[in-house]
Structures are given as C-alpha cells and as structure tokens.
Amino acid sequence: MGDEAGRGPRPRAGARCIALVGPFGSGKTTLLEEILARTGAINRPGSVTAGSSVGDGSPEARAHAMSVELNVAEAEFMGDAYTFLDCPGSNEFSAEAEGVLAAVDCAVVVCEADPRKVPALQVILKRLADGRVPHFLFLNKIDRADTGVRETLEMLQPASTLPLVLRQIPIWKDGVARGFIDLALERAYGYREHAPSELIEMSGEDRAREVEARFAMLERLADHDDELMEELLGDIEPPRDQVFHDLVDEFRKGLICPVLFGSAANGNGILRLLKALRHEAPGIEDVRARLGLEGGGETVVQVLKTIHANHGGKLSLVRVLAGEVSDGMLLTLPDGRQEKVSGLSKVMGQKTSRADRAGAGDTVALGKLDHARTGDTLSGGREPAPQLVTLDVAESVMVIAIRANDRKDEAKLSAALAKAAEEDPGLVVEQSQESGETLLAGQGEMHLRVLGEKLAGRFGLDLARRPASVAYKETIRGKTVQRGRHKKQSGGHGQFGDVLVEIEPAPRGAGISFVDRITGGVVPRQYIPGVEAGVRDALKKGPLGFEVVDVTVTLTDGSYHSVDSSDQAFQTAGRIAIREGLPACRPVLLEPIDRIEVCCPSDTTARINAILSARRGQLLGYDARPGWSGWDVVEALIPAAEVGDIIVEFRSATQGVATFRRRFDHLQELTGRIADDIVARQTAPEAA
C-alpha cells in the first residue's frame, strides 16, 4: 500500500502523540505490540499473557494480566516519529487517562463486536467527544467475529454521539475474514499473518458490496459537504482527492468517527491503521487550537502523568505544546515557582533513555520537577502559563482503612502514600478525624488492591487493610435528672465539685446544647465553663460506645467548697453526671444514611434497584441521565454501612461501568439485631 493519491508526505512538527483507549480486554496492548513490531521499534511482538510485552510491564500488570497504569512507547513510521500512550481499559483505572487525552493528537478506540462491552465503549467515546478529541474506531478481533460489519456498526452506533463511518469492508471466505476492501482507495487487500497485506483482485460479488458500502460512506461525508451531496444526487463520481479531503477534514473537526478493523493478535490491519494515522491525524498545531493556546514562541508543556521511579526519582511525563525543552531549563509552575529540568528521557515501556532536547509535539519525561503535578501546564517564560486542562476524575466509590503492621513503618507509609496519590489522580488519601484511621478512597476493589500491591512491592511495606469504620452515633429517647458529685481529700487541698443536671433529647441534627440555669451562685460563675467542658467530654462516648449527639444538658443546681473547689473538680463532676445519667435516658444507636446517585445503563436499572433494596436502601426514583443516551440515574437513601463494597455488585451488574456519587444525608435510629451486633462489637474490648 503506497501513499494514497494526493496524500503524500508532509512536514511534521515533532512526534505525533496517539492515545490507545478502549474497553478492558479489547486488545489495546496487543495492538501496541504489533505496531511496535511492524515499525521496527521491537524485533517481534511480545505477549501480554506471557509477560513479554513492552506495555503492562509493571509487576502488578503482569500479575493480573491487565493494564493498571499508562503505558508509553516510541516508534517511527515512514520517517515520522510517534508516541503511543496505551491507557487502561478498566473503569477502575480510568483516571490514568485524565491528564493524557486533552493533549494527544487523536485517539484510537480499540473495541470488538461484543454487545456486552458497548456500555464501556460508550463511556470512552463520550469522554473523547466531550473533549473534542478526534478518534478512530479500530474494530479488533475481526478473525473471531460471528456477525457482519454492518450489523456490528448498528450495534455500536448508539454508543457514539458521532456517526461511525465504515472505511473498510471485510473479504469473507468460509466465514473467515481473509482481507479487506479499502472504500476510499477502492482496492482489495489480502491478509498475511504478522506482515503487510497484499494487493489482490476484487471479485465481482465483492465489487458489488464495495460499491454499496462506498456510497454509504460518501453519504455520511456529504452531510457536511454540499458539493459532494450535489455530486451524489447527480450520479457523479466524486474525485478521489475530494473524498480523501473530506475524510481528513471531517475527522479532524470531530464530525465523524472513521471505523477500521483488523486482528491485532494476527497482525492484520496494522499497516492500514498506521497509514490512517500518518495521513489523517491532526498535529500539534491542532492540539494547541483545541486547547486555546495562542502561539507566541514561548515554551509550553503539559504534564500528562507523574511517575516515581524506583531509582530515577520523580519523573514528569510531558507533551511539549510549543517551543522546546532542554536539560537545565527553568520552567514556571502554575503557582509562579520555577524549577530546573534535571534530565530529559524518552520512555519505552518500563525503560527510559536520555534525550538532548524536545521540540513541539514531542512527549518526554522530565526529571526532578518536585512540585509539578499531573494536569499542570508549565511555561518556559517568567510568568505562569494559562492552565489548559482541568482533571475531571470520577468521585471515589470505595474506601478502605490501612495501617502498617510494624509501627516503625508509619513514617515510611505516609511518604509512600504521598507518592502514590501524586501518581494516581483517582486515589484520595485522608486521615479520619473521628476514627484516626488512614483512609484510601479509590475507583473500585481492584484499584485499591493494586495500590496495596504497589505499596508492598515498591516500598517493602507490610500492610493491614480493612473496611473503613462507619461513623455511628448514639442519642437518647428519654430524660433524667442526675447529680454528679466529686469529692476527694488527700492531704492539703482536696477536690470538690457538685452539680445537678437535667439530661433530655434534642431534635435530630440539633447537636449538643449546654444551658446554664444556676441562680444564687450555688456554682460560682468561674466554674461553669469547667462543668460544660466535662459534660462535652463525657458525651464523646456514651453507653453504647459511640459519640452522643442531639442532647440538651441543663445545669440547674450544685454546691461548692471555698477551698477545695476548682475548675478541674467541676469538670470531673460534670463527667460523672453524664456517665451516670445517660443509661437511664434510653440510649439508642444512630446510623448515618447517605443519599446515593447511581449512574448505570438503562437496561440494568432494575438490577441496580434490587441491589439497593437488598442492602436496606430506600429507593427514591430514577430518571434519564442528562447528556447520556440510554443511561439512568437511580437515587436512593442507603445506610453508609451498606455502601462499603457495593460498587463490586454494581459493576458486576453493569459490565463494569456503573459509578455513583454519595453524600451524607441524615442520622437514623437503628434497633434490632443489627444494632445489637454493632454495639456488641464496639463494647467488646471494654467487656474483655
């Protein structure tokens, strides 16, 4: 396949940057291996299952045989340089692509003719369309397809907001795709395993199929080209140059999504894809226009990914949007600070190699930019550059608590978590004020499991993990009057404090109220703050073992000793009154209730409702998800204790695509066996 008519080589500005995206298991990393082998970047394609691929080279990716982080690889094709960024397909690792997609020239969406993966495909295609990133669809595993390409396109079209425009049709023989017909070139090619396809004669039957499919392609293009529409209506064959021009123009403008196909495992369709990237993918000038970056000659780089290498320290993977970067150069961060570049590297899987400089379009790793973060736009001038990218990371859907089994590793764990959170925008590290736990919030069970493996493998940490504690509270249903008396004599001045308090429930959400009704100075004014402090301290842990809320405590009477009374004595008296009085007030457990909004494909809504109901959820209703064809948003109230691992069931019911947002709504009384079990667990250590 030579250069197509009217589309010969043209000057390039730096390397092209291409994202490989697609649903989990569609074959992105296998496709990358074939591209690297076909372009001579590697001697032969590696295997994901055998652990010999350039991508998925980390121990965690090898262990799970799946992409768990961004893979970077370099290649050259017909004199042009390319950087391929292979993004994980699982929803749980989608944050890896957040800093990447805005700055690439285009994306290749790898998918297959599997209706179960259409929802995941829709998530990816919408992300690209919303970001105005031009994208091809590469229909992989054509050798295994048991449905026609047209039927497959009809199945996939609802997942795309752009028209899917078929660029090829397969040549079938004995139910197997033996080659393809290029609808733009009107030529037929036969597949050869792991080798370029060869030009072959087109049969009469295939010629008839080609004419029909080509006309359908031209009709799609004519939707945005009046001249082409007139030619089609007049049965005039449009010039080939015009067809190519429309294909390129409409692709770059984001008006169509061209569809190519092949078999990455067999090396089929690779050269055709590379030719499409060479001739049709936009360049760095188009990326600048898309991001709103005005030219001026000043260096501007976009941070795509942060990497903490075991031996190389911190690396910032960047794309140079304008100007050039060299070793020792000062770059200005968003906050105005300047940092010096300490080394440039090209990245190939898990390996790096030194580079002297990088020009506009190039993707390189910069060393020792300690304060640069994923998503930052850095400037080579004295003033910060306008920030071009806003990371839109999905809210966390699963939270666990972790700790180092060896207390000596606590400082080490803290440093490791800081690095992990810097590398992974989908991870949130928090310190719970209520429980004192270190909390990891992430995008799902596998996401957090892989994180734990990284912490153990890279930093040698022995960690314990468990579900995060639920913030149960308790309150009271009844009221009482209780005296708290503290008297102690032990040589010299003694201790004396005496108070009488009324304890009664307050409205839900009212919090703790302390009321002073002392008259006649029976408790001197200077000691009343001490009484309140003792009361509030005692309410931090009630008879059921939890913080007490929504209570009013009124100080009505008391007595003091002119010598032995003190602020500390009255604090103790206040604590005694509360601890002795609360059990008589009929304490009751309160559990936090969250309002949850679950986003899911409409055909799975019934399953989501069933999961929520089975977990004590109260369904509030559902509605169409705004801007998402064929998706719903289900709203419910659900106990926070039931949310912990619910994402596992949601994802299982929705082919891995469901997500949710939640927020605290209210506290609700909990009684019965569940409450008894919770209280028993909470008070067991005391009983022991």
Side-chain angles (χ1 to χ4, degrees):
M1 290 173 60
D3 284 317
E4 289 83 345
R7 297 198 298 161
R10 56 188 178 87
R12 298 297 193 200
R16 314 307 287 272
C17 189
I18 312 297
L20 301 180
V21 297
F24 168 69
S26 294
K28 298 179 299 302
T29 305
T30 302
L31 176 62
L32 176 60
E33 290 297 308
E34 284 292 335
I35 288 173
L36 296 178
R38 189 63 56 86
T39 57
I42 57 177
N43 292 328
R44 61 179 183 178
S47 165
V48 174
T49 54
S52 58
S53 56
V54 172
D56 291 352
S58 70
E60 298 78 31
R62 294 271 200 256
H64 297 287
M66 64 181 291
S67 297
V68 299
E69 58 201 1
L70 184 71
N71 294 312
V72 185
E74 303 281 341
E76 286 193 8
F77 177 65
M78 298 184 71
D80 292 335
Y82 292 83
T83 300
F84 291 95
L85 304 177
D86 176 16
C87 303
S90 169
N91 225 23
E92 302 203 11
F93 301 96
S94 61
E96 287 285 314
E98 274 305 315
V100 168
L101 294 181
V104 299
D105 294 316
C106 71
V108 176
V109 184
V110 185
C111 68
E112 55 187 303
D114 186 345
R116 296 171 300 177
K117 293 187 177 181
V118 171
L121 178 64
Q122 183 178 2
V123 172
I124 293 165
L125 290 176
K126 190 169 192 313
R127 193 178 193 181
L128 294 170
D130 289 349
R132 299 181 297 117
V133 180
H135 48 282
F136 293 96
L137 199 68
F138 183 79
L139 184 57
N140 194 21
K141 306 180 185 179
I142 190 67
D143 54 317
R144 303 182 197 173
D146 55 8
T147 57
V149 172
R150 286 188 187 178
E151 292 83 356
T152 299
L153 243 62
E154 290 175 2
M155 175 182 68
L156 300 180
Q157 182 61 69
S160 175
T161 58
L162 302 182
L164 300 180
V165 177
L166 195 61
R167 294 285 303 273
Q168 304 165 279
I169 58 172
I171 297 174
W172 299 102
K173 185 176 181 181
D174 299 327
V176 178
R178 302 294 187 183
F180 68 93
I181 300 171
D182 188 302
L183 298 179
L185 286 172
E186 299 182 276
R187 297 174 186 168
Y189 296 87
Y191 285 141
R192 295 190 299 165
E193 193 164 317
H194 302 292
S197 301
E198 57 182 354
L199 187 65
I200 60 174
E201 289 293 325
M202 198 183 310
S203 70
E205 180 183 349
D206 286 336
R207 171 66 69 181
R209 293 173 55 236
E210 183 270 334
V211 169
E212 183 181 358
R214 176 179 166 83
F215 186 78
M217 178 187 76
L218 295 177
E219 279 189 313
R220 283 291 196 184
L221 297 179
D223 289 340
H224 306 285
D225 184 340
D226 293 339
E227 181 181 348
L228 178 59
M229 179 63 76
E230 291 178 7
E231 290 172 342
L232 294 181
L233 292 174
D235 288 331
I236 300 172
E237 178 66 24
R240 185 174 291 175
D241 283 355
Q242 180 187 358
V243 174
F244 282 130
H245 175 273
D246 279 3
L247 283 168
V248 173
D249 185 61
E250 294 183 22
F251 169 68
R252 292 182 180 177
K253 289 179 178 177
L255 300 175
I256 62 171
C257 175
V259 180
L260 305 170
F261 57 76
S263 169
N266 295 329
N268 299 147
I270 307 303
L271 189 58
R272 184 67 198 90
L273 174 61
L274 286 169
K275 288 288 187 78
L277 292 174
R278 183 172 191 266
H279 293 292
E280 299 172 32
I284 191 62
E285 62 281 355
D286 299 273
V287 176
R288 287 197 292 262
R290 191 171 76 228
L291 293 175
L293 177 62
E294 298 179 2
E298 193 171 83
T299 296
V300 178
V301 304
Q302 184 65 37
V303 181
L304 310 180
K305 166 78 175 168
T306 300
I307 305 165
H308 285 278
N310 287 338
H311 303 294
K314 179 179 176 180
L315 297 175
S316 298
L317 184 72
V318 306
R319 180 140 201 235
V320 184
L321 300 181
E324 68 174 38
V325 178
S326 58
D327 193 11
M329 180 179 184
L330 287 176
L331 292 177
T332 303
L333 276 59
D335 61 5
R337 284 184 291 186
Q338 290 190 318
E339 292 189 324
K340 182 183 292 187
V341 175
S342 179
L344 279 75
S345 303
K346 289 285 187 179
V347 182
M348 188 72 167
Q350 299 292 301
K351 300 178 181 179
T352 59
S353 58
R354 298 286 292 182
D356 296 327
R357 57 170 294 280
D362 291 336
T363 303
V364 294
L366 306 181
K368 303 298 177 61
L369 298 180
D370 291 337
H371 297 93
R373 299 290 182 264
T374 301
D376 283 353
T377 307
L378 311 182
S379 165
R382 293 183 178 274
E383 297 297 322
Q387 296 305 293
L388 303 176
V389 175
T390 300
L391 299 185
D392 185 21
V393 180
E395 290 187 24
S396 303
V397 294
M398 191 170 186
V399 183
I400 62 170
I402 67 166
R403 63 174 176 82
N405 282 324
D406 189 337
R407 294 181 64 87
K408 293 184 296 185
D409 286 340
E410 289 181 357
K412 189 177 179 181
L413 174 60
S414 179
L417 288 175
K419 290 180 179 180
E422 199 175 3
E423 282 190 336
D424 185 352
L427 174 68
V428 178
V429 181
E430 297 177 328
Q431 197 71 29
S432 171
Q433 297 299 315
E434 293 187 342
S435 66
E437 296 170 323
T438 298
L439 302 179
L440 301 187
Q443 302 302 314
E445 194 274 337
M446 180 60 76
H447 182 214
L448 294 176
R449 182 193 302 178
V450 167
L451 173 64
E453 293 170 0
K454 287 182 179 180
L455 293 173
R458 297 184 188 181
F459 302 100
L461 290 164
D462 180 20
L463 302 175
R465 55 175 282 172
R466 61 182 179 82
S469 297
V470 177
Y472 291 105
K473 309 290 185 188
E474 60 181 279
T475 191
I476 56 175
R477 290 173 168 174
K479 60 182 180 179
T480 191
V481 176
Q482 181 68 44
R483 181 172 295 278
R485 185 179 177 89
H486 175 59
K487 182 178 180 181
K488 188 174 182 182
Q489 191 71 40
S490 57
H493 289 304
Q495 298 179 35
F496 183 84
D498 176 37
V499 297
L500 186 69
V501 298
E502 294 179 356
I503 308 171
E504 57 187 333
R508 187 72 65 244
I512 303 298
S513 298
F514 179 80
V515 180
D516 169 22
R517 289 188 185 161
I518 290 297
T519 58
V522 292
V523 177
R525 310 291 334 152
Q526 68 267 29
Y527 298 144
I528 291 177
V531 178
E532 181 176 359
V535 165
R536 292 187 179 277
D537 182 62
L539 291 172
K540 290 178 181 177
K541 187 173 183 181
L544 306 183
F546 299 96
E547 181 184 357
V548 184
V549 297
D550 303 336
V551 170
T552 298
V553 178
T554 305
L555 177 61
T556 61
D557 200 0
S559 61
Y560 73 101
H561 189 280
S562 59
V563 176
D564 293 342
S565 288
S566 65
D567 184 81
Q568 187 62 44
F570 274 97
Q571 281 193 41
T572 303
R575 279 194 291 269
I576 292 171
I578 296 301
R579 288 173 181 167
E580 293 182 355
L582 283 179
C585 295
R586 290 184 290 145
V588 62
L589 188 66
L590 296 176
E591 70 171 342
I593 303 297
D594 289 346
R595 180 178 290 266
I596 189 171
E597 295 179 356
V598 187
C599 298
C600 62
S602 300
D603 60 0
T604 66
T605 298
R607 277 174 275 172
I608 295 298
N609 289 343
I611 292 168
L612 289 166
S613 296
R615 290 187 175 234
R616 299 190 289 135
Q618 176 190 345
L619 297 173
L620 301 177
Y622 68 93
D623 205 347
R625 185 180 186 185
W628 287 72
S629 175
W631 281 61
D632 287 336
V633 178
V634 179
E635 289 192 62
L637 295 175
I638 184 170
E642 300 287 351
V643 181
D645 62 350
I646 199 171
I647 189 62
V648 176
E649 289 192 59
F650 284 165
R651 295 261 165 87
S652 177
T654 62
Q655 297 299 324
V657 297
T659 188
F660 65 80
R661 297 190 301 264
R662 67 163 173 168
R663 67 178 189 274
F664 171 76
D665 192 81
H666 65 278
L667 290 170
Q668 181 173 289
E669 289 188 10
L670 179 63
T671 58
R673 188 179 66 182
I674 296 177
D676 293 342
D677 290 344
I678 293 168
V679 172
R681 288 196 300 269
Q682 184 70 7
T683 57
E686 292 183 357

